[in-house]
Amino acid sequence: IKNGTIIRDYDLDEITVTKVEINELNEGMKEYLKGMEQEGYELVWYPRINYAEVTMPGATKGNMITEVLHLLDIPKSRSIAFGDGDNDIAMFKEVGYGVAMGNGTDAIKAIADKITETCANEGIVRELQRLGFIEGLI
């Protein structure tokens, strides 16, 4: 975040928070988050980098994909998702074809239908080309 872009003048009653990201977790925060998880909040832990994501109950990428597919009348079998983190696991469970990025976590790679190149090596574009959706970009 660039200096000066954080809004400091706001009314909490006018803000809907759906996701919070927490860096540098200490033991007290980890215990607090475990309690939130038991209350139904969605937690994704990244112990390797001491990081967690917390979302409102039911506010997962998987639930959103399901809703969008329903609204657009697209069958699950005709949907593709790309992901690189554990927060993408719910999404992969709701699509017909899940593609993990080469730089993804072991957990997302384990459930992927395909593993492509890393984000830095244009993995999404390369996989879309292989699947025949786009031509000649790389």
Side-chain angles (χ1 to χ4, degrees):
I1 300 175
K2 294 181 180 178
N3 192 15
T5 60
I6 297 175
I7 299 170
R8 298 179 194 283
D9 183 25
Y10 54 86
D11 181 353
L12 284 177
D13 293 329
E14 295 178 7
I15 297 174
T16 301
V17 177
T18 57
K19 178 180 172 181
V20 175
E21 297 179 16
I22 304 163
N23 293 301
E24 302 301 322
L25 297 167
N26 60 38
E27 289 306 313
M29 181 55 74
K30 289 177 185 177
E31 290 304 313
Y32 182 79
L33 293 175
K34 287 177 186 175
M36 289 182 73
E37 189 172 33
Q38 291 175 346
E39 292 176 22
Y41 288 86
E42 305 284 340
L43 263 69
V44 178
W45 301 92
Y46 296 89
R48 191 177 80 233
I49 58 173
N50 198 26
Y51 168 87
E53 293 179 356
V54 184
T55 59
M56 297 297 292
T60 67
K61 290 181 180 184
N63 289 343
M64 185 53 65
I65 288 288
T66 299
E67 185 68 21
V68 169
L69 292 176
H70 174 74
L71 287 171
L72 298 176
D73 197 28
I74 298 171
K76 177 179 178 175
S77 63
R78 297 193 41 88
S79 61
I80 300 172
F82 291 83
D84 62 358
D86 292 1
N87 62 343
D88 296 318
I89 291 171
M91 180 173 60
F92 274 29
K93 292 178 180 178
E94 301 303 324
V95 297
Y97 190 71
V99 182
M101 306 307 295
N103 56 289
T105 64
D106 291 341
I108 196 72
K109 288 178 179 178
I111 66 165
D113 296 296
K114 173 78 186 267
I115 299 171
T116 191
E117 289 84 0
T118 65
C119 293
N121 289 319
E122 309 294 345
I124 293 174
V125 173
R126 291 178 189 280
E127 186 60 22
L128 289 173
Q129 285 179 318
R130 280 190 283 274
L131 292 169
F133 288 108
I134 57 176
E135 293 180 0
L137 294 177
I138 294 180

